[in-house]
Amino acid sequence: MRAFIYTGGTVRTENITEHPKADDLCIAADAGYRTACTLGERVDVLLGDFDSLGEPPVDESFEILRVPAEKDLTDTQLAVEIAIDRGAEDIVIIGGLSGRLDHTLSTLAILEDLHARGLHGYITDGQSRAHYIKSSSTLIARSAYKYLSLIAADEVVKGVDIEGCKYPLKKATIRRRNQFAVSNEITGNVAFIAVKKGGVYIIESRDA
């Protein structure tokens, strides 16, 4: 099952091309309710401490889960846990890549956690889209996102191959303290990315 999680922060809704199907689970995390409403998407579950949204609307069409303001997990992380508990194996997070840097980094880390649990997910806010792979390969289709960057998540990432891009790489090593695989551009229909050892964030982005 696929789950969509809507978060707060700035979302370029005009660029969002990801929309849930009828059988997908849709969760709004606090002010993510506004994001879902702006996109015209339904909400199945609304959760949060509601410090951002304020008092949640009275609506019997969705479930409301109120959580304490003082807690270990962010509202987005809690939404992910609920999605997994309800059977989601594929998670799309809308938002979470702008605003406070601490929230952005914690949201990105969710992708690593999903991978470690054998699940898949990605994040998009309409300006950027982030995936995570570890010691594997993937194809990234050319899209309206102009730039393609690889950001090392581990101290050392080895055997990095990039094909179908303006700046190809072959058996390269990327270090977390030396992020040089930034602002590449896909030149063909798809880019091929492979990593022999280590984890990377694959980030597609466009100018503001």
Side-chain angles (χ1 to χ4, degrees):
M1 182 182 75
R2 170 173 278 195
F4 280 73
I5 295 174
Y6 299 93
T7 75
T10 302
V11 177
R12 296 181 65 178
T13 54
E14 71 276 11
N15 295 332
I16 298 297
T17 58
E18 294 82 1
H19 301 285
K21 296 181 180 178
D23 56 349
D24 292 333
L25 175 64
C26 297
I27 303 175
D30 207 314
Y33 177 75
R34 297 194 189 103
T35 302
C37 289
T38 301
L39 287 165
E41 308 293 7
R42 77 178 192 280
V43 171
D44 299 315
V45 181
L46 171 60
L47 72 87
D49 53 31
F50 304 119
D51 60 339
S52 300
L53 177 63
E55 193 61 25
V58 177
D59 192 330
E60 296 182 357
S61 68
F62 55 78
E63 179 182 359
I64 296 178
L65 298 177
R66 192 183 296 270
V67 299
E70 296 182 1
K71 55 188 182 298
D72 293 331
L73 300 180
T74 66
D75 290 337
T76 302
Q77 290 169 330
L78 284 172
V80 169
E81 293 304 316
I82 289 170
I84 294 171
D85 287 345
R86 299 190 181 192
E89 298 178 341
D90 188 11
I91 295 176
V92 179
I93 300 175
I94 306 294
L97 294 178
S98 61
R100 283 176 50 180
L101 181 58
D102 52 349
H103 279 291
T104 299
L105 293 175
S106 69
T107 302
L108 279 173
I110 290 171
L111 298 181
E112 291 187 61
D113 182 55
L114 290 175
H115 179 273
R117 296 158 82 166
L119 306 174
H120 176 264
Y122 68 92
I123 308 167
T124 180
D125 67 353
Q127 182 170 350
S128 300
R129 183 163 57 191
H131 302 256
Y132 174 84
I133 64 169
K134 187 177 182 71
S135 305
S136 62
S137 62
T138 190
L139 296 172
I140 301 293
R142 188 175 185 177
S143 68
Y145 294 96
K146 180 179 180 180
Y147 303 107
L148 180 68
S149 300
L150 266 61
I151 303 296
D154 292 325
E155 287 294 331
V156 181
V157 181
K158 297 182 178 181
V160 178
D161 291 345
I162 299 177
E163 299 176 12
C165 288
K166 186 176 181 179
Y167 306 107
L169 288 178
K170 189 68 175 178
K171 297 181 179 178
T173 297
I174 303 175
R175 300 180 184 275
R176 191 172 60 84
R177 297 189 305 272
N178 182 21
Q179 307 278 3
F180 65 85
V182 176
S183 294
N184 212 332
E185 298 180 33
I186 300 176
T187 55
N189 291 325
V190 296
F192 172 75
I193 298 171
V195 176
K196 186 174 182 181
K197 184 178 181 181
V200 297
Y201 292 109
I202 301 172
I203 299 178
E204 304 166 79
S205 58
R206 67 180 96 199
D207 292 317

